[in-house]
Amino acid sequence: NWRPEGGHGTGNRFMPLDTVAMGPGPMLMAIAGLYPGLTAAELRAPQPLPFAPAGGWNYHRLLADGVPTGFVALPGNELVAEHPDTVAVVCDGTSLGVEFADGASHECLALIDRSDEAVANPGLLDPRQFYALSDAAGRVHIRWSDGVPEGWTVQGRLIFTQLPHVKKPGSGGGFAEMDDDFEF
């Protein structure tokens, strides 16, 4: 028998096992900073960590000076996996115009792809997309624009914004199964 004594499948005992899904694994994203108030230099500073191969994971040792702004773990996502030079920007939801069910402002994460083609060629900016643009003073603005304003530069394109789960006040009606926020 090839199994070690006391191992899985020996002695009619089986370890609880969980297989990683074949899609993208959890992603550790470098945080570039806080918005509003983020500068272009802060947005460019973090070096992204490589994403794990599909169905697997990577190990990372975080060094004291590696990314002083920290990291955040997000669920695996195909769209982010296609853009490996993506960083997270911690935003106040209202600074992006995001409304939440409870009417309060909450932190959210704007995922910015710094390798978007419009960074190197601003003429390729798509007016239907949102971008991290920096003004002449180096302050970042996350917004859409019909073009790059004079003296501004494109720092990256917003892939998506990760929102926290916010429960609508009073949405519980006494029967969890009837609640829109019910999760099994």
Side-chain angles (χ1 to χ4, degrees), residues 93-160:
T94 57
S95 71
L96 298 175
V98 176
E99 294 181 60
F100 291 92
D102 63 358
S105 184
H106 297 274
E107 285 185 348
C108 50
L109 300 170
L111 301 182
I112 307 292
D113 172 23
R114 301 178 301 180
S115 66
D116 187 79
E117 60 189 0
V119 173
N121 184 352
L124 296 175
L125 181 132
D126 181 347
R128 297 167 297 177
Q129 300 291 325
F130 288 79
Y131 289 87
L133 303 168
S134 61
D135 61 25
R139 286 183 304 272
V140 170
H141 305 264
I142 300 174
R143 51 162 300 166
W144 63 268
S145 181
D146 287 328
V148 181
E150 186 69 33
W152 289 35
T153 57
V154 179
Q155 299 299 319
R157 182 176 60 84
L158 176 76
I159 296 177
F160 68 88

